[in-house]
């Protein structure tokens, strides 16, 4: 393990040497968490207008719409929307009062449901939204939310300095935090619950006591597990994600200097991933140099198939917060990508305000193409079927693509649309993504000339179906719009007429390279040893004449 980590660090150092603005020339991942923390505490990111009448409610909504529009344009795909703030909420809760950020008055309703509005607006843009739940802090000791919670559960809340905190070791803690997450999951079509501050506060340990130990870590893990069980029992496709301190523990080569998840915060985050307790992890890596890169390697080495998104301290670009150069953010995001991790920007305001050009970099260089959130792992059950009934119509300068809708999937079905000037459309290339996670079964695009289309169905776990193809010009589709059935092991062939005098079946890659040749002996071809991917299928006659029979996708389901 030490040798492996040393090699990883050498690779990272090499990345640092070569990574910069040239990263835009690299192949862009189709699956990647690209998240932003949207902070509502004290209206830091949103809202800036207080909802006191109909006009101000409309302005408050417009502020959020403008933010989401900007994030969509930069191909951000995940919004971490702060929903439980400090024992207060941004939705009508039966458990806790309204947060003051909405109206300026604690406990006062804004006249609409901000969480429902945010969910709808995110989904309209094909973005996932996770309800960000601040777990342990409950605000100032005499604040509205803290007072109500102390009155209801007098032994659950402890005072540290001027602040109140839920005591993680109290048996009521797991049930209470779970009840909030359960309420949100039942009432809203969210894509995830995001637990923040799911740890012991740094002010918890008196100087004369040792740092947190096994019992404390177990208490935090029990809360994570309880929340996961609760939300999955209601909607199993709802992700559970957690924010963790950015350094898991001391490394052999680098010290965490006393600030780490395992010891200081009692977050055994790598155990959570190993046990499958979380679907995503967001280590808050608000550091530079050797405080970032070796610890990023450690997260990448120990994610156990979990989607990990490195928390990027975009706020440090501000002169008031440290004045980092933009190049630091460029290096960190590119190294995270090269390590197979996503990234999450803290906070939204510093990104959208384009501090030191960070928004322009993200929009134009880091994320010029869309990306899908990685599918949840360890999911069982049938994957979605490919869409059917594709049609395309052209009217003036617009092209409308439509297909039959399939609403039989548990949790609903979404669609991805791809377009390319070459056939078959390569759905593994993010540059061909036109729209992601659309709920409609039609889309209208500008007529950009000869385009070929593909549409896939996506379930709420993020699993994607085989593509259904359709070219822009149906007159050119002869022999193309025929996707041959394949279960990953056996390819089903169409009837080959005697006139073709077929002796062999040839499979070619998308670049035209012959990958396999099989004698034509019947309706089935064994492809069990071929690599997964798209292939063109041809019949080959004795005189060397080839006829394209169609295309196939070889994909094997994993469990």
């Amino acid at each position: 393990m030490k040798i492996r980590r040393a090699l990883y660090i050498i690779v990272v150092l090499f990345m640092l040497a070569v990574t910069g603005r040239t990263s835009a020339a690299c192949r862009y991942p189709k699956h990647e968490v690209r998240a932003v923390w949207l902070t509502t505490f004290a209206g830091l990111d949103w809202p800036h207008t207080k909802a006191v009448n109909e006009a101000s409610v409309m302005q408050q909504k417009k502020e959020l719409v403008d933010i989401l529009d900007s994030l969509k344009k930069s191909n951000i795909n995940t919004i971490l929307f702060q929903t439980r703030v400090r024992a207060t909420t941004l939705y009508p809760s039966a458990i806790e009062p309204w947060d003051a950020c909405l109206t300026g008055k604690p406990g006062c309703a804004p006249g609409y449901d901000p969480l429902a509005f945010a969910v709808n607006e995110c989904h309209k843009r094909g973005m996932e939204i996770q309800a960000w739940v601040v777990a342990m802090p409950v605000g100032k000791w005499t604040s509205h939310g803290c007072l109500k919670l102390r009155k209801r559960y007098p032994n659950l809340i402890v005072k540290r300095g001027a602040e109140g905190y839920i005591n993680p070791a109290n048996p009521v803690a797991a049930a209470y935090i779970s009840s909030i997450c359960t309420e949100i999951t039942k009432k809203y079509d969210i894509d995830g619950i995001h637990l923040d501050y799911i740890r012991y506060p740094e002010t918890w340990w008196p100087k004369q006591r040792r740092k947190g130990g096994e019992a404390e870590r177990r208490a935090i893990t029990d809360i994570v597990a309880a929340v996961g069980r609760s939300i999955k029992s209601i909607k199993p496709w709802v992700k559970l994600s957690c924010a963790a301190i950015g350094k898991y523990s001391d490394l052999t080569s680098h010290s965490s200097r006393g600030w780490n998840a395992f010891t200081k915060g009692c977050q055994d985050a790598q155990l959570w991933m190993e046990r499958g307790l979380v679907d995503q992890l967001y280590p808050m890596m608000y550091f530079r140099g050797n405080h970032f890169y070796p610890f990023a390697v450690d997260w990448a080495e120990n994610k156990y198939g979990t989607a990990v998104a490195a928390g990027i301290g975009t706020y440090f670009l501000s002169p008031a917060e440290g004045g980092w150069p933009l190049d630091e953010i460029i290096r960190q995001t590119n190294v995270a990508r090269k390590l197979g991790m996503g990234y999450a920007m803290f906070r939204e305001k510093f990104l959208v305000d384009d501090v030191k050009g960070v928004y322009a970099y993200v929009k134009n260089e880091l994320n010029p193409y869309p990306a899908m959130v990685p599918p949840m792992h360890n999911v069982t059950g049938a994957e979605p079927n490919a869409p059917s009934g594709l049609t395309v119509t052209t009217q003036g300068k617009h092209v409308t693509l439509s297909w039959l809708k399939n609403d039989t999937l548990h949790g609903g079905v979404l669609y991805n649309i791809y377009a390319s000037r070459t056939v078959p459309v390569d759905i593994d290339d993010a540059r061909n993504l036109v729209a992601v996670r659309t709920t409609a079964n039609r889309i209208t695009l500008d007529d950009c000339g000869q385009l070929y289309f593909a549409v896939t169905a996506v379930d709420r776990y993020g699993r994607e179906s085989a593509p259904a193809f359709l070219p822009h010009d149906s007159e050119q589709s002869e022999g193309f719009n025929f996707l041959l059935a394949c279960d990953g092991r056996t390819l089903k062939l169409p009837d080959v007429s005697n006139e073709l005098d077929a002796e062999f079946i040839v499979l070619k890659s998308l670049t035209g390279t012959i990958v396999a040749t099989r004698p034509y002996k019947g309706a089935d071809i064994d492809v069990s040893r071929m690599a997964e991917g798209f292939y063109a299928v041809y019949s080959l006659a004795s005189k060397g004449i080839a006829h394209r029979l169609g295309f196939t996708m070889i994909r094997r389901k994993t469990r």
Side-chain angles (χ1 to χ4, degrees), residues 70 109 148 167 178 199 218 248 274 285 318 361 426 462 550:
S70 295
K148 282 186 167 292
N167 180 359
S178 293
R199 61 181 175 87
R218 189 182 309 115
Y248 174 65
E274 183 180 6
M285 305 189 67
S318 169
Y361 159 68
D426 184 0

Side-chain angles (χ1 to χ4, degrees), residues 449-467:
Q450 185 67 41
L451 284 177
Y452 299 91
F453 297 104
V455 180
T456 62
V458 185
D459 66 15
R460 294 298 295 271
Y461 302 97
R463 300 180 302 174
E464 191 174 24
S465 74

Side-chain angles (χ1 to χ4, degrees), residues 232-253:
K232 301 289 185 182
S233 68
I234 303 165
K235 297 173 182 175
W237 58 86
V238 171
K239 300 176 180 69
L240 176 60
S241 70
C242 292
I245 294 174
K247 303 172 184 178
Y248 174 65
S249 188
D250 290 334
L251 304 177
T252 303
S253 56

